[in-house]
C-alpha cells in the first residue's frame, strides 16, 4: 500500500475519488474535502498572513511569485517522518521554464 501526501486540495479530492483515500498520509493546510481528510497530518502553511482584503492577498501572492518563491512553507521534518512513496503537488510555470 503506497503512502501518498497531497499538497493541493484538488489533488486530494482526485486521490480520494480514485479510491485511494486510505493511502493518504498527509495533506496541505487547505485540504478539507472530503471531510474525512480533516485530521490527517498537515504539511504546509501559508507564508503570508491572512488579510481581510482579497486585493491585499492577491498582491502578497503576486509579490512572492515575482520573486520566484514558494507561496507555502512545507514542514520538511514531518514530510521526512511520514516518508511518502508519492507526493502530489504542482510545479510553477516559472520553475518549469528554468529547467
Amino acid at each position: 500500500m503506497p503512502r501518498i501526501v497531497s499538497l493541493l486540495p484538488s489533488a486530494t479530492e482526485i486521490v480520494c475519488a480514485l479510491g485511494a483515500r486510505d493511502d493518504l498520509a498527509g495533506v496541505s493546510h487547505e485540504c478539507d474535502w472530503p471531510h474525512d481528510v480533516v485530521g490527517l497530518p498537515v504539511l504546509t502553511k501559508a507564508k503570508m498572513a491572512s488579510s481581510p482584503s482579497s486585493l491585499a492577498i492577491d498582491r502578497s501572492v503576486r509579490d512572492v511569485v515575482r520573486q520566484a518563491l514558494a507561496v507555502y512553507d512545507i514542514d520538511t521534518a514531518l514530510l521526512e517522518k511520514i516518508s511518502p512513496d508519492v507526493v502530489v503537488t504542482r510545479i510553477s510555470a516559472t520553475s518549469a521554464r528554468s529547467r
Side-chain angles (χ1 to χ4, degrees), residues 46-98:
K47 283 188 174 182
M48 292 143 300
S50 49
S51 168
S53 156
S54 295
L55 180 59
I57 293 169
D58 182 65
R59 285 181 180 151
S60 294
V61 169
R62 288 175 187 269
D63 287 344
V64 169
V65 170
R66 253 193 301 279
Q67 298 171 42
L69 302 173
V71 179
Y72 303 107
D73 285 322
I74 298 174
D75 184 338
T76 55
L78 180 56
L79 182 62
E80 187 174 333
K81 180 179 177 183
I82 290 173
S83 188
D85 299 299
V86 177
V87 177
V88 184
T89 190
R90 75 175 203 81
I91 186 166
S92 72
T94 303
S95 297
R97 282 185 292 228
S98 66

Side-chain angles (χ1 to χ4, degrees), residues 5-7 12 24-31 37 40-44:
V5 164
S6 173
L7 302 180
T12 299
L24 273 175
V27 294
S28 81
H29 67 285
E30 295 179 320
C31 295
V37 302
L40 286 173
V42 174
L43 290 125
T44 63

